Amino acid sequence: MTPPIEPRALPLVAPDLNAGSGFPTLLRKELMRFWKVSFQTIAAPVITALLYLVVFAQVLQDKVHVYGTVAYTSFLIPGLMMMSMLQNAFANPSSSLIQSRITGNLVFILLPPLSYRDLFLAYVLAAIVRGIAVGLCVWIVALFFTPLHPAHPLWVLAFAFLACGIMGSLGLVAGLYSEKFDQLAAFQNFLIMPATFLSGVFYSIHTLPAFWQGVSHWNPLFYTIDGFRYGFFSVSDVSPWRSLAVVGVVFLALAAHALRLLASGYKLRN
C-alpha cells in the first residue's frame, strides 16, 4: 500500500509560472496599464520633479551646502528621485485596484486561478518597475543640470527596490481598504504626501531643531531617502546599515499585511 502523497509546501511568496498560470498575464496587464499612458504616469512626475529642481536650485544653490562639500543641487537630485519613486510606486497598485472595484471589472481578476501570492507579486513588481522607471528618468533629466553619478550603485539599487516595494505594498493595502476615490485620496493627502515631504527630500535633518530630528527618525521614508543618498555621496545622516535594516523590516511587515489581506479575500470576495 503506497503512502499518501504529502502536499508540497509552498513558499510564502512565489509566483506560479506553470502552464496556464495567470501571473504573467496579470503582471503584463499592470505594466501595460501605466505604460500605455506613460506621458501621464512617467513624463508628468518627471516634469514635476524638474520644476522642484529648477526652483529650489535657483534659490538655494549658492546659499546651502550639505555634508560640508556637497552642492545643494546635487544633494536635491537623489531626494527628488526617491520622492518621485515613492509616490508613483504607491499610485500604481492603489489606483488599479480602486478603478477595478468601481468599474466592476475586479471579477476578471478574481475568476482566474490566481493565488494571493500571484496577486501580490504582480501588483508589487509592477509598482517597482513604474517607480524605478520614473526615478531613472528624473536622474537622466537632472544630468543636464549637474553631473551626478552614484558612488555605490548597489546601495542605490537596494534602496530603490526596497523603497518601491514598501510603497507598492502600502498601495496594495490602501487599494484593498478603500472603496472609493475619496478614501484613497485620504491615504495620499494625509499619509503619503506629508511622509514624503517630511523625510528629508529638501534638507538634511541635522539642520532641524532637536525635537524635529527625533520626529524624523520615526518616519520610515526618511531612511529610504537617507540610504539612497548614501549611495550617491558616501555620506548620510545615519548609518546606511541602520537605514537598510529599518527599510527591510518595514517592507517585510507591509508585505506580510498585504498578503494576509489578499489571502483572506478582504473586500475582494466578501
Side-chain angles (χ1 to χ4, degrees), residues 3-213:
I5 299 175
E6 294 289 337
R8 183 168 58 91
L10 293 174
L12 179 63
V13 180
D16 181 8
L17 298 177
N18 296 324
S21 166
F23 167 75
T25 303
L26 180 59
L27 177 59
R28 183 178 183 276
K29 175 252 185 189
E30 288 300 308
L31 292 173
M32 295 305 295
R33 179 181 165 274
F34 77 82
W35 183 251
K36 288 286 188 180
V37 287
S38 56
F39 187 80
Q40 175 185 347
T41 57
I42 296 179
V46 172
I47 293 173
T48 300
L50 179 62
L51 291 174
Y52 280 122
L53 180 62
V54 170
V55 172
F56 279 89
Q58 289 293 325
V59 173
L60 299 175
Q61 169 63 30
D62 298 326
K63 300 180 176 63
V64 179
H65 284 267
V66 191
Y67 304 144
T69 58
V70 178
Y72 184 71
T73 301
S74 300
F75 171 85
L76 188 59
I77 290 171
L80 292 175
M81 289 172 62
M82 182 56 75
M83 183 182 74
S84 302
M85 288 190 286
L86 292 171
Q87 292 176 349
N88 283 273
F90 173 85
N92 208 65
S94 59
S95 61
S96 177
L97 278 174
I98 198 71
Q99 286 175 357
S100 296
R101 177 177 282 118
I102 290 176
T103 57
N105 62 21
L106 188 61
V107 65
F108 298 114
I109 298 175
L110 301 178
L111 283 177
L114 287 164
S115 71
Y116 65 93
R117 301 178 184 87
D118 295 333
L119 293 173
F120 173 82
L121 281 174
Y123 281 110
V124 173
L125 285 176
I128 292 173
V129 172
R130 175 175 169 179
I132 291 181
V134 171
L136 184 62
C137 290
V138 171
W139 177 61
I140 292 172
V141 172
L143 290 176
F144 290 97
F145 291 84
T146 182
L148 180 66
H149 302 285
H152 306 287
L154 291 180
W155 281 104
V156 171
L157 290 174
F159 279 101
F161 274 95
L162 284 172
C164 292
I166 286 174
M167 298 309 285
S169 301
L170 184 59
L172 189 55
V173 170
L176 291 171
Y177 279 136
S178 303
E179 297 180 358
K180 50 187 178 180
F181 281 107
D182 291 347
Q183 295 172 341
L184 183 59
F187 273 94
Q188 295 172 321
N189 295 330
F190 298 108
L191 179 62
I192 306 303
M193 190 68 70
T196 52
F197 273 88
L198 297 176
S199 57
V201 173
F202 302 101
Y203 55 85
S204 168
I205 65 166
H206 288 308
T207 62
L208 299 175
F211 172 78
W212 290 109
Q213 287 188 38

